Amino acid sequence: MILGTMPALSALTVDQKLRLVSELWQDVSRDSTITAETATLLDERLHEYEANPAAVRSTEQVATGIKELKKRIAASRA
């Protein structure tokens, strides 16, 4: 696992980790080369979304959920 080889990443806050994920995704998305397998997976996921768009959550909703979970965990440790 990458976190095990880069201890500084483990020290990041949840907000910093979420920002890092976003920045990494933006960097990766600049590479226009995708494999046939990746294209197939993207097509499958797009079809799943089109079949049931209410079944997904926005990035903001996911981030909010993570932050709320973090608060609950911190409260349970107090």
Side-chain angles (χ1 to χ4, degrees):
M1 178 176 229
I2 292 174
L3 287 176
T5 62
M6 302 176 87
L9 292 177
S10 295
L12 296 175
T13 66
V14 171
D15 288 338
Q16 291 170 322
K17 288 176 183 176
L18 290 172
R19 258 185 267 131
L20 176 60
V21 168
S22 175
E23 290 177 20
L24 287 171
W25 180 253
Q26 289 173 6
D27 186 58
V28 168
S29 66
R30 287 188 196 105
D31 181 357
S32 61
T33 305
I34 61 170
T35 64
E37 294 84 10
T38 300
T40 299
L41 178 61
L42 291 171
D43 286 338
E44 290 171 3
R45 291 188 177 173
L46 179 60
H47 292 306
E48 289 174 17
Y49 167 73
E50 289 170 339
N52 192 5
V56 299
R57 297 187 326 165
S58 69
T59 303
E60 292 80 18
Q61 290 171 315
V62 172
T64 298
I66 292 169
K67 289 174 185 176
E68 289 173 1
L69 176 60
K70 180 184 172 189
K71 287 178 186 175
R72 288 195 309 267
I73 291 170
S76 71
R77 292 180 179 166

